[in-house]
Amino acid sequence: RALGLEFLRLAENQMQLGVSKVFTDLLGPFGYNGSGPFQAELLDVCEFDNVRKRMSVLLRMPSGEILLYVKGADSSILPHVLEQEAKEQCDSHLLTFARQGLRTLCLAERVLSEEEFQDWHSRFKEAKAMITEDRADLIHDLSNELETKRLKLLGATAIDDKLQEEVPETIEQLRQAGVRVWVLTGDKVDTAISIAMSCKLLTEE
């Protein structure tokens, strides 16, 4: 809302956003006429999993254009981005964020033709309806197929994921009692080190 967009509702696969004047012109190319909420059709969702480390949605804009939006770990997004300069700039920022202990995600998009979407969607719908043991593998493969082609980098986010109260003190007491504490994380190494230092899992020693 503070940026000028507000999620209003999702009903019968129709997503509505409240739009401020700042975004009126920016949404023009997607077919928004500047009157009332911006509305797009949610076509499909590829749910997050720990192997792909990303999730995505397919939207049909008011203009009829079909867009894929992907978010996930930098290691799962950047290798599939076409623009080398954009990747290098983003990687530099991500390293800075990680050293500050911030949790990061990358965002990307690409446009699909109607033919490409219909072909993929029919196979994805069929895979989701299956009850065989290879259902999850088929959904995973189809999600990968969609999300790893010709991506355009949109940017990255970085948030400060605050520790819960007394986490550092509790871990320190466990260490003093001789209890081993292990942390498994998918974060970048610099992020993991910074967080481990802040919660006293690691020390300068």
Side-chain angles (χ1 to χ4, degrees):
R1 180 183 296 178
L3 296 175
L5 287 175
E6 180 182 2
F7 177 77
L8 298 178
R9 65 185 61 86
L10 176 63
E12 298 180 353
N13 290 335
Q14 295 296 319
M15 179 186 70
Q16 291 188 351
L17 299 176
V19 181
S20 71
K21 292 181 180 179
V22 176
F23 277 90
T24 299
D25 292 338
L26 295 175
L27 293 175
F30 297 111
Y32 180 59
N33 61 14
S35 175
F38 175 82
Q39 184 164 298
E41 180 184 0
L42 178 62
L43 299 173
D44 275 306
V45 177
C46 296
E47 301 288 354
F48 176 88
D49 69 49
N50 290 323
V51 179
R52 292 177 14 256
K53 297 181 181 179
R54 58 179 177 260
M55 71 161 293
S56 59
V57 296
L58 277 162
L59 298 176
R60 188 187 299 277
M61 298 301 179
S63 62
E65 187 175 46
I66 298 173
L67 282 171
L68 170 74
Y69 288 102
V70 191
K71 72 171 183 176
D74 58 287
S75 60
S76 70
I77 300 291
L78 294 182
H80 311 296
V81 171
L82 289 176
E83 304 153 354
Q84 185 62 33
E85 184 178 353
K87 286 196 287 187
E88 292 174 355
Q89 289 180 350
C90 186
D91 206 38
S92 175
H93 291 306
L94 289 170
L95 183 59
T96 299
F97 295 148
R99 287 173 176 168
Q100 296 172 4
L102 302 179
R103 309 293 294 275
T104 58
L105 286 174
C106 285
L107 310 169
E109 69 172 0
R110 77 177 178 95
V111 179
L112 277 73
S113 67
E114 186 69 36
E115 181 181 8
E116 181 184 7
F117 166 70
Q118 292 297 343
D119 173 65
W120 179 87
H121 173 71
S122 63
R123 291 182 288 131
F124 190 63
K125 184 178 180 180
E126 182 179 336
K128 289 194 297 183
M130 295 177 68
I131 56 174
T132 56
E133 291 184 356
D134 60 347
R135 176 181 181 274
D137 290 336
L138 288 171
I139 291 175
H140 172 86
D141 291 343
L142 285 165
S143 298
N144 258 337
E145 176 187 325
L146 184 71
E147 298 166 343
T148 57
K149 296 178 181 177
R150 310 182 307 277
L151 294 183
K152 177 184 177 182
L153 185 66
L154 294 175
T157 63
I159 62 170
D160 185 6
D161 196 358
K162 297 289 187 183
L163 296 174
Q164 294 184 21
E165 292 183 3
E166 299 183 2
V167 167
E169 294 80 4
T170 301
I171 291 178
E172 178 63 20
Q173 290 174 10
L174 290 172
R175 287 168 55 87
Q176 290 178 2
V179 177
R180 288 188 176 184
V181 181
W182 292 72
V183 176
L184 301 178
T185 176
D187 286 318
K188 293 175 73 67
V189 173
D190 292 276
T191 304
I193 291 174
S194 178
I195 293 174
M197 294 288 287
S198 67
C199 68
K200 295 188 177 180
L201 185 60
L202 293 179
T203 67
E204 296 291 347
E205 301 175 356

